[in-house]
Amino acid sequence: MPSVLVIDDDRAILALTEKALSTIADVETAATAKEGLEKLRAGAFDTVLLDIQLPDQNGLAVYCEIREFDRRIPVVFMTVEAASSTAIEAMQLGAFDYIGKPLSVDPLRDLIEKAIEQRQISSVPVAISADDKSPGESGELFIGRSPAMLGVFKAIGKVSKQDVPILIRGESGTGKELVARALYQYSHRSDEIFLAVNCAALPDNLLESELFGHEKGAFTGAESRRIGKFEQCNGGTLFLDEIGDMAPSVQAKVLRVLQEQRFERVGGNKELTTDVRIIAATNRPLEQMVADGDYREDLLYRLNGVTIELPPLRERLSDVPALVQFFMAQAKKEFNKPDLEGLSPEAAELFEGYHWPGNVRQLRAVIRRCVLDTVMPVITPDGLPKEITRVKAADNALGGIPASTETLDGAGLPQLVKRLLAEKSTDVYAEATQYMEKYVITEVLKSTGGNQSQAAEILGITRGKLRDRITTFDISLTSNVQIG
């Protein structure tokens, strides 16, 4: 049975916690910081319930000593000032959670159950480590050994030193700018300048000025001459991102640069020359845009000298663990989380099974959020964003969660009652009630993807009671469902 250490000088609190937690854990109590630390070092506890104000030492100082002894033990603070700066400071130090006094039994039990569960999960070796294993200068682009990415690497190697326009195609967030930078780094222009312009981020008139520059007085607000990117980037590489969002008037001028390496500033008459290698990228269907009259066909042909197709992350899920490790190592360092060890096996499974509509950019954002939020050494399913666990729930709704060996459905109750009456049962009420309770709990679990914390909240019962019902009714959950 799990064990909990409660440190508080209030005898009423010690008695209350012993009684409230006795069904879920063995409870040891201590009335002073000294006694609590001695018991902690002598025993093996799954969580600590710690008062902020102790007679012989401040609770925050005690917490720091607990952390030095064992950083894996979840510590839950008790305080009469649950909204005070002290509680905030406790969370900043890395406490698992805090609960206000006077204590409420059900919230206390649920919180301690969750802490115990986190402790147990954290004791399992991580599936994906957060150790720093840097892949090199090109970052996450060169992480992965899937066939799709190996094809990208080969294409970069073949064309990087060829002075031809290159079009990179792929969904948003797949890393098109990283490919552009890799092409630049491995080209003979790597000692020259590299500039990037997002064509979708600027209005048409500002984009034209950004690319070609303008003369003083060319338009309202043009108070001085501006040197554009084609001029600045002479001898180097210019990356035009989201090339499909470029206005027709700008498309014509870019076509001329590609053909002749000549252009004029906006509002100017002097013809300028430049030697720029253009790498373009888009997530839009340019061929369809040409057919619809929204894009110049001749520009598409000029840009499309060499095309590199960047696969979405869902088509290279085997690369997810390596990407996760890279991003965790980055975030661990950035957010100063030296105790972070990595992802639990259950969390890693959810990461590898998610379809990642935002691709690598979304994966990086999720990892950063998880690392920032976690107070435990191991990131578990409870710490993942809902969009990831919801997809698993949707998958399970297609048949992944068998309720039990018996098929349940809400319309089956009348048939059950009729059968029991025909059999002259003397326990109709109990059996019908059990059937409906089992049905309701199963449906709620399906809706949460097996997450017991969410299910208990929806049902309006404690998580301990829910677990009791799951055992009583023999409700089975498939192994690929995260149990909260």
Side-chain angles (χ1 to χ4, degrees):
M1 198 171 188
S3 58
V4 176
L5 175 61
V6 184
I7 307 175
D8 197 309
D9 60 328
D10 187 334
R11 291 184 179 180
I13 292 292
L14 296 180
L16 173 64
T17 54
E18 275 191 291
K19 184 176 181 180
L21 303 177
S22 61
T23 58
I24 62 171
D26 294 324
V27 181
E28 285 277 342
T29 62
T32 65
K34 181 180 179 181
E35 182 187 0
L37 290 170
E38 287 176 353
K39 287 191 174 184
L40 181 70
R41 295 187 180 102
F45 295 96
D46 293 286
T47 191
V48 175
L49 191 58
L50 177 63
D51 187 25
I52 288 280
Q53 300 296 334
L54 293 168
D56 56 336
Q57 195 173 356
N58 181 274
L60 296 179
V62 177
Y63 170 74
C64 292
E65 291 192 44
I66 293 173
R67 291 273 289 176
E68 288 182 10
F69 174 71
D70 188 345
R71 295 178 179 272
R72 291 175 177 270
I73 296 180
V75 177
V76 177
F77 278 99
M78 296 180 287
T79 173
V80 293
E81 301 171 336
S84 71
S85 58
T86 305
I88 295 172
E89 185 178 353
M91 297 303 293
Q92 288 178 331
L93 286 172
F96 181 78
D97 211 328
Y98 66 85
I99 187 168
K101 293 182 179 180
L103 299 179
S104 297
V105 172
D106 285 344
L108 172 65
R109 188 182 291 119
D110 289 345
L111 183 56
I112 295 303
E113 280 187 332
K114 186 176 180 181
I116 291 171
E117 185 177 14
Q118 289 290 322
R119 168 68 166 178
Q120 293 170 344
I121 293 174
S122 296
S123 300
V124 177
V126 296
I128 300 178
S129 170
D131 292 341
D132 186 7
K133 295 181 180 179
S134 177
E137 292 182 358
S138 294
E140 58 265 31
L141 167 65
F142 291 103
I143 297 174
R145 292 292 179 267
S146 61
M149 286 308 295
L150 290 177
V152 172
F153 304 155
K154 290 176 183 178
I156 292 171
K158 289 178 181 178
V159 303
S160 58
K161 293 188 181 300
Q162 307 302 318
D163 215 5
V164 296
I166 296 176
L167 179 61
I168 306 166
R169 310 187 77 158
E171 297 177 6
S172 293
T174 50
K176 296 187 287 295
E177 183 169 349
L178 288 169
V179 174
R181 290 186 180 277
L183 288 164
Y184 159 71
Q185 289 169 3
Y186 288 97
S187 73
H188 64 268
R189 296 176 183 252
S190 57
D191 293 332
E192 301 294 338
I193 190 172
F194 175 91
L195 295 176
V197 177
N198 187 330
C199 300
L202 296 169
D204 298 342
N205 61 328
L206 292 183
L207 176 60
E208 187 175 5
S209 174
E210 183 76 12
L211 293 175
F212 304 105
H214 63 253
E215 298 291 352
K216 180 179 179 180
F219 50 83
T220 302
E223 298 177 355
S224 61
R225 171 185 288 177
R226 175 185 175 88
I227 303 301
K229 292 294 191 287
F230 278 110
E231 202 168 343
Q232 294 176 43
C233 208
N234 188 25
T237 302
L238 179 61
F239 174 52
L240 300 179
D241 198 7
E242 305 299 348
I243 196 79
D245 292 273
M246 187 178 287
S249 59
V250 183
Q251 292 175 30
K253 296 189 72 170
V254 170
L255 176 62
R256 186 185 176 204
V257 176
L258 282 167
Q259 292 175 332
E260 304 173 11
Q261 296 281 292
R262 298 175 184 273
F263 66 96
E264 294 93 25
R265 299 190 190 103
V266 177
N269 297 315
K270 182 180 178 181
E271 188 176 69
L272 304 172
T273 60
T274 187
D275 176 20
V276 175
R277 183 191 192 181
I278 292 181
I279 300 174
T282 185
N283 63 354
R284 302 189 65 181
L286 296 184
E287 290 80 6
Q288 184 60 48
M289 292 176 67
V290 168
D292 294 340
D294 297 326
Y295 207 79
R296 294 183 63 111
E297 187 174 20
D298 46 5
L299 177 58
L300 173 58
Y301 289 150
R302 292 293 300 184
L303 290 171
N304 210 11
V306 174
T307 298
I308 296 178
E309 296 279 353
L310 200 53
L313 188 53
R314 63 180 174 275
E315 293 181 7
R316 58 181 188 108
L317 291 176
S318 60
D319 293 336
V320 167
L323 287 164
V324 167
Q325 184 175 30
F326 176 66
F327 291 136
M328 271 199 298
Q330 282 186 331
K332 176 180 177 179
K333 183 177 180 180
E334 179 181 351
F335 299 134
N336 191 26
K337 299 268 188 167
D339 300 323
L340 180 65
E341 296 178 10
L343 285 185
S344 72
E346 296 84 1
E349 182 182 349
L350 289 171
F351 269 86
E352 293 175 55
Y354 186 56
H355 61 287
W356 299 108
N359 294 295
V360 178
R361 183 183 296 138
Q362 182 191 10
L363 174 62
R364 179 175 182 269
V366 168
I367 287 294
R368 286 170 58 82
R369 193 191 327 169
C370 290
V371 172
L372 183 61
D373 290 345
T374 187
V375 296
M376 298 296 293
V378 179
I379 296 172
T380 63
D382 278 347
L384 302 186
K386 290 182 179 179
E387 62 263 26
I388 295 178
T389 55
R390 279 174 183 164
V391 169
K392 181 62 72 175
D395 292 341
N396 291 326
L398 297 177
I401 306 180
S404 68
T405 55
E406 165 187 1
T407 301
L408 293 177
D409 96 55
L413 181 60
Q415 287 80 3
L416 173 67
V417 173
K418 289 179 181 179
R419 178 173 62 80
L420 292 173
L421 290 173
E423 295 172 355
K424 301 189 182 303
S425 171
T426 57
D427 202 16
V428 174
Y429 180 81
E431 291 196 43
T433 302
Q434 178 176 313
Y435 180 96
M436 286 307 301
E437 190 175 4
K438 185 175 181 180
Y439 170 74
V440 170
I441 290 174
T442 301
E443 289 302 306
V444 172
L445 283 168
K446 285 181 181 180
S447 73
T448 65
N451 188 306
Q452 293 183 21
S453 296
Q454 294 178 24
E457 182 177 356
I458 293 170
L459 289 164
I461 61 177
T462 66
R463 197 159 56 162
K465 184 173 182 179
L466 175 60
R467 285 176 174 164
D468 177 67
R469 290 296 184 269
I470 289 173
T471 302
T472 300
F473 297 148
D474 193 25
I475 299 174
S476 62
L477 303 170
T478 55
S479 59
N480 64 344
V481 178
Q482 181 257 317
I483 308 299

